[in-house]
Amino acid sequence: LKRRFGASQNQSPPALPSLPIIGSLLSLKTDRPPHIFFQELQKKYGDTYSFMMGSHNVIIVNNHQHAKEVLMRKGKTFAGRPRTVTTDILTRDGKDIAFADYSPTWKFHRKMVHGALCMFGEGTASIEKIICREADSMCKTMGEMQSLAVDLAPELTRAVTNVVCSLCFSSSYKRGDQEFEAMLEYSQGIVDTVAKDSLVDIFPWLQIFPNKDLKILRDCVSIRDKLLQKKYEEHKTNYSDNIQGDLLDALLRAKRSAENNNTSTQDVGLTDDHVLMTVGDIFGAGVETTTTVLKWTIAYLIHHPQVQTKIQAELDRKIGRDRHPQLSDRGNLPYLEATIREVLRIRPVSPLLIPHVATTDASIGDYNVKRGTRVIVNLWSLHHDQKEWKNPDLFDPGRFLDKEGGGLCCPSASYLPFGAGVRVCLGEALAKMELFLFLSWILQRFSLEVPAGHPLPSLEGKFGVVLQPQKYNVLARLREGWEKGQALSTE
Ligand code: HEM
Ligand code: PLO
């Protein structure tokens, strides 16, 4: 293939056919989800190839060598983000972190949020305590719904939402809360319509025509913005220079201190819009990603009861029934950790990451890349690469354990569930704590199975800004000997 496309030195990557204005649209027509289609195109065009999306040049990277060059070795060069119609609606023209282009403002906000998230690790209201409080409440509710066929999604979402809600706003939601129900609805509307490379993102002029998805997105964003604005007003009223309780307080403090120093808040990007959009990002990312992974994990555990039994045996051996799992148990539960890693491999939350943009003329391997080119790292291809993984489509947590089965390992370099480099996920540590605690709490006392007469959960994802599983029902059965243990409390 290399010879055929002449990839010797400093050439353009192999390209799909393209026409003026519409670009390669005709060659991109498919009913498959994009990450799978892009993986298949490798057979014809090689691991790294390009096409035109309207007037934009796009490069797809399908192997880990090129992915690491883009994300790590040349991370800064490829740290740009494209502006698209849908993400501009969500983020008021990129005034957030995830969809903001590479700029001093993006750097500033990223650093601040990173600092705030690190700070929450300590203190009385530590993240661990918050997560355990929510895990406890979730397990109690699951106990009440025992032996019923239920969709666990709303309870999982509420637990995860309350963790980020505590971090961002120092608040949480009770079951059946109106505001929480509204949040569930608008957030799904956003996930369904934003950053899907729909036609308006390729041809921005299509906005002038009525468009159902764009209307859903605008309506949902407007509901979200009202909620964020309300939280912002509440914080402004209760703000004190000394108390820095949550992320929104931390952002407010930075804004006020810049104002007091007579720094133009416009320069560093500390306008009200920036503060709101940044919190919106962390709130949105905090909810949708972790919930999605929990749903995938439960779906896979139902398909593979032997994996579930093995995790439970490990929990019984290392923790027993007299106490709850805690973060310090993480090193002692390698099989559970391996299972989480395998779920993040086989169903990556963000199979195409978020598109990157070359901020200068650059190169990937032997290929020249022009400034402004969009670079999409196909994480799905990396995680399902036959050369890197034995039976990549098989769910096998054991692949992350060393030969003796006692320690964790990473059998391939082709594994980047959180991305890497300057744009690496900001919530990796938080997400890992949540996944570990929520899953260990659930599996310590419940066995999850498919209810009689219900189908097994589908393992096919719905492609969007996150790869979500389809809805399914579960039966959570209290494990033998747990009737007593239920009385355990977090105190
Ligand atoms: C970005 C994965 C949870 C906040 C990303 C990216 C990935 C990712 C793949 C894109 C990297 C790139 O474009 O190169 C995940 C996974 C999660 C998770 C698998 C859960 C298991 C979270 C959580 C938060 C969060 C809980 C919030 C606290 C962010 C932010 C960005 C990001 C703000 C944008 C970073 C930037 O563009 O500078 N994440 N994420 N993520 N994530 Fe996460
Ligand atoms: C999820 C729906 C929310 O209502 C808004 C939102 C904000 C930030 C986005 C998140 C959504 C989806 C997952 C994203 C996150 C930023 C980083 C994260 C894209 C759209 C990932 C996985 O990259």
Side-chain angles (χ1 to χ4, degrees):
L1 265 173
K2 264 204 165 169
R3 220 173 304 123
R4 191 168 137 210
F5 290 104
S8 54
Q9 190 97 99
N10 296 337
Q11 316 233 353
S12 304
L16 271 68
S18 148
L19 290 167
I21 303 174
I22 62 166
S24 312
L25 208 60
L26 297 178
S27 314
L28 295 168
K29 250 182 94 76
T30 167
D31 15 348
R32 310 193 147 239
H35 53 284
I36 293 177
F37 182 61
F38 291 156
Q39 182 193 29
E40 285 172 358
L41 285 179
Q42 264 183 99
K43 285 190 220 119
K44 195 164 167 198
Y45 294 97
D47 286 355
T48 298
Y49 53 84
S50 75
F51 55 77
M52 296 297 290
M53 219 147 70
S55 58
H56 301 290
N57 199 359
V58 182
I59 293 186
I60 310 286
V61 166
N62 289 287
N63 69 35
H64 70 91
Q65 289 87 354
H66 283 175
K68 287 192 175 161
E69 188 174 343
V70 169
L71 301 175
M72 296 161 89
R73 281 204 301 288
K74 299 180 181 164
K76 271 193 184 161
T77 312
F78 289 102
R81 295 284 196 215
R83 286 196 52 182
T84 67
V85 173
T86 55
T87 56
D88 274 0
I89 292 174
L90 179 68
T91 65
R92 302 193 184 164
D93 304 332
K95 295 193 181 65
D96 68 329
I97 297 178
F99 301 107
D101 204 358
Y102 187 70
S103 69
T105 307
W106 163 78
K107 258 193 205 159
F108 178 81
H109 280 257
R110 200 182 144 104
K111 241 195 178 139
M112 259 201 36
V113 171
H114 183 77
L117 287 176
C118 286
M119 194 190 67
F120 292 130
E122 302 133 22
T124 40
S126 77
I127 294 187
E128 177 169 16
K129 286 204 180 117
I130 297 172
I131 303 171
C132 289
R133 183 191 73 203
E134 294 308 321
D136 194 43
S137 150
M138 174 174 65
C139 286
K140 290 212 169 87
T141 314
M142 282 174 69
E144 287 163 23
M145 304 190 295
Q146 227 214 121
S147 311
L148 293 174
V150 284
D151 177 9
L152 282 180
E155 265 314 294
L156 297 172
T157 314
R158 196 171 65 88
V160 174
T161 304
N162 280 345
V163 174
V164 268
C165 236
S166 301
L167 297 182
C168 292
F169 313 123
S170 320
S171 64
S172 62
Y173 294 115
K174 297 229 159 39
R175 272 176 89 188
D177 187 307
Q178 283 291 303
E179 192 177 287
F180 174 69
E181 304 286 327
M183 199 236 31
L184 280 185
E185 203 179 314
Y186 82 63
S187 203
Q188 191 59 49
I190 295 175
V191 170
D192 288 342
T193 51
V194 81
K196 278 177 73 174
D197 280 326
S198 53
L199 283 174
V200 275
D201 281 340
I202 305 173
F203 307 117
W205 43 266
L206 282 177
Q207 279 175 93
I208 56 169
F209 300 111
N211 176 322
K212 208 171 102 232
D213 273 9
L214 220 50
K215 176 159 172 24
I216 296 176
L217 178 62
R218 287 207 172 98
D219 291 348
C220 290
V221 168
S222 135
I223 300 170
R224 180 196 75 154
D225 288 353
K226 280 201 195 91
L227 188 144
L228 290 177
Q229 188 70 41
K230 192 179 120 201
K231 301 276 183 207
Y232 194 37
E233 300 300 335
E234 284 167 11
H235 276 67
K236 272 195 204 156
T237 322
N238 301 327
Y239 179 81
S240 137
D241 273 333
N242 307 316
I243 307 165
Q244 190 173 310
D246 51 43
L247 181 68
L248 196 44
D249 283 335
L251 289 168
L252 256 172
R253 173 198 283 257
K255 183 166 150 51
R256 299 218 171 162
S257 112
E259 278 160 0
N260 290 341
N261 292 334
N262 273 335
T263 319
S264 159
T265 49
Q266 208 74 41
D267 291 347
V268 265
L270 267 171
T271 62
D272 288 340
D273 273 5
H274 282 96
V275 173
L276 279 181
M277 294 302 111
T278 294
V279 191
D281 244 23
I282 302 305
F283 189 54
V287 173
E288 294 300 335
T289 53
T290 312
T291 313
T292 298
V293 185
L294 289 175
K295 290 189 219 166
W296 278 124
T297 310
I298 294 174
Y300 273 98
L301 290 178
I302 292 176
H303 275 261
H304 300 267
Q306 75 286 7
V307 172
Q308 193 175 163
T309 314
K310 247 174 130 165
I311 299 174
Q312 286 168 331
E314 193 179 62
L315 284 163
D316 290 349
R317 225 172 32 247
K318 303 282 174 56
I319 296 179
R321 299 187 175 195
D322 301 329
R323 66 173 184 89
H324 295 295
Q326 55 201 37
L327 273 186
S328 56
D329 294 315
R330 239 169 101 177
N332 288 325
L333 297 163
Y335 195 73
L336 173 58
E337 281 288 327
T339 306
I340 296 172
R341 287 192 189 181
E342 177 67 345
V343 172
L344 289 170
R345 180 194 70 82
I346 203 161
R347 289 295 177 269
V349 171
S350 187
L352 301 176
L353 309 185
I354 301 175
H356 288 248
V357 169
T359 53
T360 59
D361 282 351
S363 64
I364 303 175
D366 289 333
Y367 300 130
N368 277 336
V369 176
K370 281 246 167 319
R371 178 180 170 193
T373 302
R374 297 180 179 189
V375 180
I376 293 179
V377 173
N378 191 351
L379 191 61
W380 181 272
S381 293
L382 266 66
H383 285 186
H384 290 83
D385 189 339
Q386 302 268 7
K387 295 192 288 297
E388 297 286 332
W389 305 93
K390 215 169 120 193
N391 300 325
D393 295 325
L394 195 78
F395 179 73
D396 174 19
R399 65 171 93 238
F400 284 100
L401 292 173
D402 56 27
K403 284 273 175 308
E404 297 81 49
L408 283 159
C409 68
C410 194
S412 164
S414 198
Y415 182 66
L416 296 172
F418 296 92
V422 284
R423 286 282 185 171
V424 70
C425 174
L426 256 182
E428 176 170 355
L430 171 64
K432 284 179 170 165
M433 287 187 234
E434 289 187 79
L435 293 173
F436 172 77
L437 286 170
F438 283 136
L439 289 168
S440 58
W441 277 63
I442 294 174
L443 292 169
Q444 188 189 29
R445 46 178 104 179
F446 295 101
S447 284
L448 307 165
E449 52 196 80
V450 64
H454 287 255
L456 277 166
S458 164
L459 297 176
E460 206 179 301
K462 285 184 290 175
F463 178 81
V465 67
V466 288
L467 183 70
Q468 292 178 324
Q470 281 152 44
K471 235 183 168 162
Y472 59 85
N473 285 331
V474 193
L475 191 133
R477 211 191 281 283
L478 213 50
R479 294 178 64 210
E480 231 171 273
W482 262 99
E483 297 77 5
K484 194 169 60 186
Q486 239 192 325
L488 271 177
S489 90
T490 33
E491 259 63 68

